[in-house]
Amino acid sequence: MTSPIADPPDPEATAATPTEREFDPVEPEPVPEGDEDTVRPYDAVLLLSFGGPESREEVMPFLRRVTAGRDIPDERLEEVAHHYYLMGGRSPINDQNRALLDALHAELRRRGSAVPVLWGNRNAEPFLADTLREAHGRGLRRFLVITTSAYSSYSSCRQYREDIAAAVASLADEGLEVVVDKVRPYATHPGFARANTRLVTDAIREAGQPDDDRLRVAFVTHSIPMGMDDTSGPGDGEGNLYWHQHDELGHVILDEAGITLDRNLHGALVFCSRSGPPSQPWLEPDINDHLRHLAGQGVTDVVVAPIGFVSDHMEVRYDLDVEAAETADELGLRMTRVPTVGVDAEFVSGLIDLVEERAAEARGETVAHPAWPGAAMPSICRPGCCPNLRVARPAACGAD
């Protein structure tokens, strides 16, 4: 699949007027008197996501908003719009975000926290600035963001930081002051890694292929331009952190699943949703090309694990469940698709661990930063981290 939505849009072109549609945040409930709220000093937790259309009529406006400033003709956007039309014009991401909101709220309540859980998007209602504006009207001033992207790169981290900075500045122009922090990138958090490990292990069992030479695991993530990967991570780092985080997670999943199942498992990191002109190099191999390669090697069963995504949104539902499944069927490969972490209890618990961790940092406490595999990323991004290669823009939650 070639999709224009993978390349970062112009943040200034995605501004929106206040929406008339209502997206009610999860309201707080009383906490038993005397309990200490571990999310203090934050007034709310805010889930920040990409967004998606809710109806067929919203598809083209959504795609135009996503690709604003890139001179992509409507004829090209219509090709991508067809993917949404196959699903009735309604992106699966919004319902998945609603489910995650409910799960985060429930876990916070279980731990005794009274803070509300809010929701804002980059490219669709409810827009981030609108959510912050409405929350300010309710007396909320300090917010902690969880993004629906786990890894380190411009499009998966810094661009969200740019969105936060733009929204905060927009409200400041209206005389509304808010403070917004975010949890650290969580590709290396144990809750994310363990949930993915368990899901892959279960899928290998489900595949039912006992011969290790005939079974492969394909770890899938969103492709990005090679230049973006080369500069992913802190400015004083070695780069390629986006690729490295995925590769490292894939290796530990294979190791852990192999130990659990007493097998010698093999796998590879592959990509989907390539975009941009053919002259621009993106991370490869594409999942469909990889499936053809496996079939040529005599592999009969492939377990497809979308570790690069936290929910079954369009890139998973179409790129894997439609395109890759059709390719596997043509090749005679039996394909087992691993679920994304979604609202898995271990994953959700890990996100709230990150919320409590960031809140403790904000209170000036000494904080442990558990990480597996690899090292923990900082809550405040270091200078030069995952730069915008097109134009420098203000970014919140960082040291630059």
Side-chain angles (χ1 to χ4, degrees):
M1 167 185 172
T2 54
S3 165
I5 69 174
D7 200 32
D10 184 342
E12 292 183 353
T14 62
T17 56
T19 175
E20 295 181 357
R21 178 186 299 165
E22 293 185 359
F23 290 90
D24 293 330
V26 178
E27 295 292 342
E29 299 171 5
V31 174
E33 186 175 352
D35 280 10
E36 178 71 13
D37 194 327
T38 56
V39 184
R40 182 179 56 83
Y42 296 106
D43 300 323
V45 172
L46 195 158
L47 185 68
L48 177 56
S49 192
F50 190 84
E54 294 272 22
S55 68
R56 187 180 181 93
E57 292 72 27
E58 292 183 19
V59 171
M60 285 300 292
F62 166 76
L63 293 175
R64 293 188 190 108
R65 192 181 301 119
V66 170
T67 60
R70 293 169 52 198
D71 298 321
I72 297 178
D74 276 3
E75 292 78 12
R76 175 67 188 92
L77 296 182
E78 284 285 359
E79 296 177 23
V80 180
H82 175 68
H83 305 164
Y84 290 91
Y85 298 152
L86 288 175
M87 300 182 187
R90 193 164 189 264
S91 171
I93 194 172
N94 292 328
D95 284 342
Q96 291 160 9
N97 282 334
R98 292 182 182 103
L100 183 54
L101 283 168
D102 288 344
L104 292 169
H105 174 254
E107 180 62 16
L108 283 166
R109 305 310 306 147
R110 189 184 70 79
R111 300 190 190 195
S113 175
V115 300
V117 184
L118 314 178
W119 175 26
N121 286 325
R122 172 183 294 166
N123 297 300
E125 299 174 353
F127 292 98
L128 174 60
D130 296 336
T131 297
L132 291 174
R133 184 181 297 108
E134 189 274 342
H136 187 280
R138 295 167 51 202
L140 307 179
R141 298 292 184 270
R142 191 164 184 178
F143 305 86
L144 182 57
V145 163
I146 301 171
T147 64
T148 55
S149 182
Y151 294 88
S152 298
S153 76
Y154 170 73
S155 61
S156 56
C157 185
R158 190 182 185 98
Q159 191 174 7
Y160 282 110
R161 294 172 50 213
E162 291 178 351
D163 295 337
I164 294 169
V168 170
S170 178
L171 265 65
D173 289 342
E174 303 170 19
L176 308 177
E177 299 297 326
V178 296
V179 175
V180 183
D181 296 326
K182 66 181 288 293
V183 303
R184 60 182 164 102
Y186 49 86
T188 60
H189 190 270
F192 183 67
R194 288 171 182 157
N196 274 293
T197 299
R198 176 169 30 79
L199 292 170
V200 171
T201 302
D202 291 344
I204 293 170
R205 287 195 187 98
E206 179 187 340
Q209 173 54 264
D211 188 342
D212 293 338
D213 291 332
R214 294 183 175 274
L215 174 75
R216 292 292 185 275
V217 180
F219 297 103
V220 189
T221 191
H222 205 304
S223 185
I224 61 173
M226 291 182 67
M228 188 186 295
D229 180 52
D230 288 342
T231 56
S232 62
D236 59 356
E238 298 179 356
N240 303 111
L241 187 58
Y242 180 80
W243 182 89
H244 180 73
Q245 286 173 338
H246 286 87
D247 182 68
E248 191 168 40
L249 178 56
H251 274 91
V252 300
I253 289 174
L254 284 179
D255 289 345
E256 292 295 312
I259 293 169
T260 299
L261 301 173
D262 191 23
R263 299 187 61 169
N264 183 25
L265 300 168
H266 304 278
L269 178 61
V270 301
F271 303 89
C272 68
S273 303
R274 188 210 188 281
S275 182
S279 58
Q280 183 183 40
W282 283 54
L283 294 177
E284 296 178 337
D286 176 76
I287 174 64
N288 297 283
D289 294 336
H290 183 66
L291 293 176
R292 296 183 185 98
H293 172 72
L294 294 180
Q297 288 188 321
V299 172
T300 60
D301 293 79
V302 59
V303 172
V304 175
I307 61 170
F309 308 97
V310 302
S311 67
D312 286 11
H313 51 58
M314 187 59 70
E315 282 83 354
V316 176
R317 292 277 182 89
Y318 187 84
D319 291 26
L320 301 187
D321 294 349
V322 176
E323 283 195 336
E326 288 177 353
T327 298
D329 187 60
E330 292 169 2
L331 296 168
L333 282 172
R334 288 185 294 271
M335 175 177 146
T336 302
R337 211 266 281 171
V338 182
T340 49
V341 289
V343 293
D344 180 274
E346 191 166 21
F347 170 59
V348 172
S349 179
L351 290 180
I352 300 304
D353 287 345
L354 287 164
V355 166
E356 294 182 335
E357 173 189 295
R358 185 66 184 92
E361 288 178 340
R363 295 193 298 268
E365 299 173 12
T366 301
V367 178
H369 299 87
W372 180 78
M377 297 297 294
S379 301
I380 298 175
C381 291
R382 286 153 56 187
C385 197
C386 304
N388 185 333
L389 298 179
R390 295 195 302 163
V391 58
R393 298 191 186 281
C397 312
D400 60 350

